[in-house]
Amino acid sequence: MSKANDREIVKIQYNSDKNLNARQAFHIIFSTNKYAWANWVFDQYSIKPNERIIEFGCGNGSIWSNNKDRIPKDTKLVLTDFSEGMLNAAKESLQDIEGIDYAVMDIQNIEYDDDSFDCVIANHMLYHVQNRDLAISEVARILKPEGTFYATTNGSNNMKGFKDLVVAFDPRLNIKSFSVTSEFGLENGEEQLYKHFNSVEKIIREDSLHITEAKPFVDYVLSLEGHTNGKEILTESRIKDFYAYLENIISRDGSIDIPKSSGIFIARNPKK
């Protein structure tokens, strides 16, 4: 078990949408690709009217709130999350969309019959699952034979150099021990999916970070509570020092530039 899929740590990390909001804001502000991630992801979906769709780990529902006008007519949408707090945040942001069902649910134990859905979605969450093989087999089970599974994740080069900057400020910060891509990333996700699907396609999104302010950077690091020891090391005085450290780099170099690596797997033909 790693810090990425430790059940207790994940509970702490996602008991509300506060931490997720900090990270989403960071990427929205500084991503060089100004076409929104939520819109790009939705572009990859092939959803037809009247289809039945379920998303696991829906978070704050940002994929749907950013694409309200693109949801096909009479779509039967079920949004689930491991965290009730996160699910409440999704309900709040999507309250003007009728007909969405919400459920606290574990992707490792899906409470639906075989061949129940046309589409299953899991965005940036499979790396938090302890038994991914069971989870993916459950997804294949509830999908119709012609159904599709969409799963986004990051690559091993995502935000390369980010952790080095943090550790250079204070070597006590254990941010390097936290890795999600070793669990389910662009480099190893395909193999995991092929165990339960006959067809897997990988699509990469081109993007990077051009960071010109210190505060969102600091907020991002603090948002990793549980996964790292940032909350313990970054006391009020050390946060001020961290700001100064980052501001000096930005002043000297003009910006902090970090590569990104993310994309989506599209798995079809579930093995029954």
Side-chain angles (χ1 to χ4, degrees):
M1 185 188 304
S2 74
K3 288 185 178 182
N5 60 24
D6 184 300
R7 195 175 181 91
E8 292 308 310
I9 290 176
V10 173
K11 277 184 180 179
I12 294 169
Q13 172 61 213
Y14 295 105
N15 66 344
S16 75
D17 63 340
K18 175 176 65 72
N19 293 320
L20 179 60
N21 285 340
R23 292 194 292 276
Q24 287 179 336
F26 179 74
H27 286 285
I28 289 169
I29 294 167
F30 298 125
S31 288
T32 57
N33 186 339
K34 294 306 178 184
Y35 187 64
W37 164 260
N39 298 133
W40 181 86
V41 172
F42 203 90
D43 288 347
Q44 314 313 313
Y45 298 162
S46 179
I47 302 173
K48 301 177 181 65
N50 301 302
E51 286 192 331
R52 196 173 186 208
I53 300 158
I54 187 168
E55 180 178 7
F56 293 96
C58 69
N60 56 15
S62 60
I63 292 296
W64 307 99
S65 61
N66 284 282
N67 294 282
K68 291 179 181 179
D69 297 335
R70 303 174 65 190
I71 302 172
K73 185 179 179 181
D74 297 325
T75 296
K76 299 169 183 66
L77 180 60
V78 180
L79 298 185
T80 80
D81 202 282
F82 177 71
S83 161
E84 188 169 355
M86 206 54 106
L87 207 60
N88 288 334
K91 289 179 184 178
E92 178 69 24
S93 68
L94 300 170
Q95 58 184 315
D96 56 336
I97 302 179
E98 296 181 0
I100 300 178
D101 291 329
Y102 298 89
V104 175
M105 196 175 296
D106 186 343
I107 193 172
Q108 298 165 109
N109 182 26
I110 300 175
E111 301 165 15
Y112 286 101
D113 294 336
D114 297 0
D115 305 337
S116 295
F117 291 90
D118 300 282
C119 172
V120 176
I121 295 166
N123 288 324
H124 277 66
M125 61 78 69
L126 282 176
Y127 42 62
H128 290 314
V129 177
Q130 288 183 2
N131 191 337
R132 259 181 317 283
D133 189 64
L134 173 60
I136 296 169
S137 72
E138 278 284 271
V139 168
R141 178 184 66 77
I142 67 166
L143 269 173
K144 296 176 182 178
E146 67 279 9
T148 307
F149 179 36
Y150 300 94
T152 63
T153 189
N154 297 324
S156 58
N157 286 326
N158 187 55
M159 297 178 69
K160 188 175 182 180
F162 180 91
K163 294 178 180 179
D164 293 332
L165 275 173
V166 175
V167 173
F169 166 70
D170 194 323
R172 295 175 299 165
L173 289 161
N174 64 357
I175 193 168
K176 285 195 172 183
S177 68
F178 173 58
S179 171
V180 296
T181 57
S182 61
E183 300 292 332
F184 183 85
L186 292 177
E187 293 78 16
N188 60 20
E190 195 169 14
E191 179 182 359
Q192 296 179 55
L193 290 167
Y194 262 123
K195 290 182 181 179
H196 301 284
F197 290 87
N198 290 302
S199 170
V200 181
E201 179 185 6
K202 178 169 63 176
I203 303 174
I204 306 297
R205 173 177 163 90
E206 298 298 324
D207 203 356
S208 63
L209 292 166
H210 181 70
I211 303 163
T212 55
E213 299 173 53
K215 186 179 186 306
F217 192 120
V218 175
D219 290 345
Y220 186 102
V221 174
L222 292 174
S223 80
L224 297 171
E225 61 176 321
H227 293 313
T228 74
N229 62 349
K231 288 283 188 179
E232 292 75 39
I233 302 299
L234 294 174
T235 60
E236 187 175 345
S237 62
R238 286 303 280 159
I239 288 175
K240 290 179 181 178
D241 294 339
F242 195 22
Y243 278 133
Y245 164 77
L246 294 169
E247 286 168 348
N248 285 338
I249 295 173
I250 293 168
S251 177
R252 182 193 69 204
D253 300 337
S255 63
I256 297 171
D257 294 286
I258 302 287
K260 290 173 69 173
S261 174
S262 58
I264 188 169
F265 289 109
I266 303 175
R268 300 180 178 91
N269 244 344
K271 296 177 181 178
K272 299 292 187 180

